[in-house]
Amino acid sequence: MKVIYSERIVADAQSFSPSARKPREVLASWRRRFPPLDVLEPEPVTIDELSLVHDPDYVRGVLSLKRANGFGNHLPEVAASLPWTSGAMLGAARVAMAEGCAVAPVAGFHHAGYASGGGFCTFNGLMVTAAVLRSEQTSLRVGILDFDQHYGNGTTGIIRELGLHWVEHYSAGAWWDQVEQAERFLDEIPAIMQKFSRCGVLLYQAGADPHVDDPLGGWLSTAQLRERDRRVFTLCRQMALPVAWNLAGGYQANLRKVLDIHDNTMLECLAAFSEDIDMPA
């Protein structure tokens, strides 16, 4: 399994959200638990690539520290990490299109709109990835499956602002957020996945914050989150749909509980795409 990672994607955002510092901890946990992972260094995206889906003045303002990032501050270490974070997502998508699946252990995308950030998101690496790939393959359709707790308003906003009809976007946060919906949500995943049948690649946000104990979530158990991921990856394999996934959400004070959720996502990904490997339970 290829993991697109660099220490340059890690920053201390001095925030309630662990998303900027979490990648290092996630990768360390994966390395302890799973078969050898092939870790590849990403390339940072350029200002021009970020500007495919964001206002160029906003991009330059954030990177020059004149405008606040999605954490609401102007920290240089956060600004320095942002091109690498989106670059990791783009790198994972390229690997997935060639090999079927890859992961970028990054987060902080879907609340970033065309000319603004917020909700711990500064640049929308999902949409940056989609736009760069589309610029390289003009007939490509890109799917974005957002199973974070919260609605991906920034993603929707960019799609509408720029008229990007070739992006198929589904954000579970618009429809599902109650404990009594959990089993029905899981049963609905095959129908949701059919929305991406014409896509050449799927960008999957495997959110940890729908967990019942998350202070910003609260409707899926650990077992249900793992089953969610099992169904997504199994269906991607059956549909021959390349999938590049990332981390999203996860705000429990005990970070180990969040890491366990991300470990389960990796476990189900490996089970679907690496059947020759003897996986741990």
Side-chain angles (χ1 to χ4, degrees):
M1 177 62 58
K2 288 188 169 60
V3 179
I4 314 304
Y5 174 86
S6 168
E7 282 293 305
R8 297 180 183 185
I9 69 178
V10 180
D12 181 1
Q14 300 180 23
S15 166
F16 164 75
S17 170
S19 61
R21 65 180 185 275
K22 186 170 62 174
R24 180 186 292 131
E25 300 297 329
V26 171
L27 182 61
S29 185
W30 288 348
R31 280 175 158 160
R32 284 192 299 268
R33 285 202 60 192
F34 302 120
L37 300 172
D38 190 1
V39 179
L40 305 179
E41 181 90 5
E43 293 290 332
V45 295
T46 66
I47 289 177
D48 287 344
E49 288 171 332
L50 290 168
S51 298
L52 290 173
V53 298
H54 290 293
D55 182 333
D57 289 339
Y58 170 66
V59 172
R60 294 189 181 92
V62 169
L63 295 180
S64 66
L65 311 183
K66 294 177 181 177
R67 293 192 61 165
N69 57 46
F71 297 94
N73 60 48
H74 300 76
L75 292 172
E77 51 266 52
V78 173
S81 73
L82 295 169
W84 295 90
T85 302
S86 289
M89 193 70 221
L90 175 59
R94 284 178 166 150
V95 171
M97 291 176 71
E99 301 183 14
C101 184
V103 56
V106 295
F109 292 150
H110 72 162
H111 294 309
Y114 177 70
S116 63
F120 318 126
C121 303
T122 307
F123 298 135
N124 196 313
L126 302 168
M127 291 304 302
V128 172
T129 294
V132 173
L133 294 177
R134 175 78 174 192
S135 72
E136 297 169 348
Q137 301 184 39
T138 57
S139 63
L140 181 69
R141 294 183 64 85
V142 178
I144 297 175
L145 177 61
D146 189 345
F147 277 174
D148 187 83
Q149 167 72 17
H150 307 98
Y151 177 56
N153 61 304
T155 304
T156 295
I158 292 171
I159 292 170
R160 290 176 177 170
E161 177 84 16
L162 302 178
L164 305 181
H165 58 85
W166 45 269
V167 178
E168 184 70 48
H169 174 225
Y170 184 91
S171 183
W175 310 102
W176 311 92
D177 63 0
Q178 301 297 318
V179 171
E180 57 267 24
Q181 294 178 312
E183 290 303 320
R184 187 156 56 91
F185 164 72
L186 293 174
D187 290 342
E188 193 70 17
I189 289 176
I192 294 170
M193 290 293 292
Q194 285 305 308
K195 298 177 183 292
F196 306 108
S197 60
R198 296 192 298 134
C199 294
V201 64
L202 180 68
L203 310 180
Y204 173 41
Q205 287 224 123
D209 52 357
H211 192 269
V212 291
D213 294 331
D214 196 283
L216 300 184
W219 66 291
L220 292 173
S221 68
T222 299
Q224 287 167 335
L225 282 169
R226 180 169 174 177
E227 178 62 16
R228 174 201 69 179
D229 295 334
R230 187 190 71 79
R231 296 187 188 195
V232 169
F233 291 127
T234 299
L235 286 162
C236 284
R237 184 67 183 264
Q238 292 173 357
M239 295 167 66
L241 175 60
V243 56
W245 59 281
N246 71 324
L247 317 176
Y251 305 99
Q252 297 186 64
N254 183 346
L255 185 60
R256 183 64 254 172
K257 293 184 177 180
V258 178
L259 297 178
D260 287 344
I261 295 169
H262 294 317
D263 282 359
N264 282 343
T265 305
M266 175 60 85
L267 180 64
E268 294 303 332
C269 180
L270 289 168
F273 286 92
S274 305
E275 62 263 296
D276 55 327
I277 294 177
D278 184 20
M279 293 302 305

